[in-house]
């Protein structure tokens, strides 16, 4: 399977979000942008999606998950292979600092608007792995 390039028009996204309304709204925005999406509601289900061999170009991860943090999840996912990730949070700037340590390439504050999501996805896809 080919690795996506910075010019990937429609990156394949793994969305890790446990709140149904937020997940639904984010999926709708990603659909409008043209990104195929797989939803995982927990850290465990996100890890399982990656372990099955499904390839994702980008992971959007909520900071607070029922079974851990988005920071912990990204560290675990990166044990499988390099991956671009955007941290989504409704929390304080302190969460962003933890995200910096983990290597998130972009950050979004909830509630996310479609234009900022589009810009974040485009920017993240320019990051070379």
């Amino acid at each position: 399977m080919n690795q996506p390039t910075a010019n990937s028009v429609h990156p394949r996204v793994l969305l890790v979000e446990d709140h149904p309304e937020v997940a639904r709204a984010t999926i709708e925005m990603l659909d409008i942008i043209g990104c195929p999406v797989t939803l995982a509601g927990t850290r465990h289900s996100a890890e399982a999606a990656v372990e099955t061999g499904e390839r994702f170009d980008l992971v959007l991860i909520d900071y607070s998950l029922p079974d851990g943090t988005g920071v912990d999840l990204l560290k675990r996912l990166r044990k499988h292979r390099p991956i671009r990730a955007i941290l989504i949070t409704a929390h304080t700037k302190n969460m962003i600092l933890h995200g910096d340590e983990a290597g998130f390439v972009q950050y979004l504050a909830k509630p996310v608007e479609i234009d900022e999501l589009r810009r974040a996805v485009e920017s993240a896809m320019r990051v070379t792995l």
Side-chain angles (χ1 to χ4, degrees), residues 102-120:
F104 284 90
V105 297
Q106 290 288 319
Y107 307 93
L108 292 171
K110 291 180 183 180
V112 177
E113 298 293 328
I114 190 166
D115 289 334
E116 65 184 340
L117 179 60
R118 179 181 288 115
R119 285 189 300 271

Side-chain angles (χ1 to χ4, degrees), residues 83-129:
I83 192 159
R84 297 170 189 91
I86 297 173
L87 180 66
I88 302 173
T89 183
H91 297 288
T92 66
K93 187 170 180 137
N94 188 39
M95 302 307 165
I96 304 284
L97 296 175
H98 290 286
D100 283 342
E101 293 171 9
F104 284 90
V105 297
Q106 290 288 319
Y107 307 93
L108 292 171
K110 291 180 183 180
V112 177
E113 298 293 328
I114 190 166
D115 289 334
E116 65 184 340
L117 179 60
R118 179 181 288 115
R119 285 189 300 271
V121 168
E122 290 170 355
S123 177
M125 291 309 297
R126 288 191 293 269
V127 172
T128 303
L129 296 178

Side-chain angles (χ1 to χ4, degrees), residues 22-62:
V22 174
R24 187 173 28 259
T26 306
I27 289 169
E28 287 175 9
M29 288 186 284
L30 288 165
D31 185 52
I32 290 168
I33 293 170
C35 299
V37 183
T38 297
L39 175 64
T42 64
R43 188 183 87 185
H44 179 74
S45 60
E47 289 177 36
V50 170
E51 288 171 1
T52 63
E54 192 167 354
R55 303 285 296 185
F56 299 100
D57 305 312
L58 179 64
V59 181
L60 276 70
I61 306 174
D62 183 16

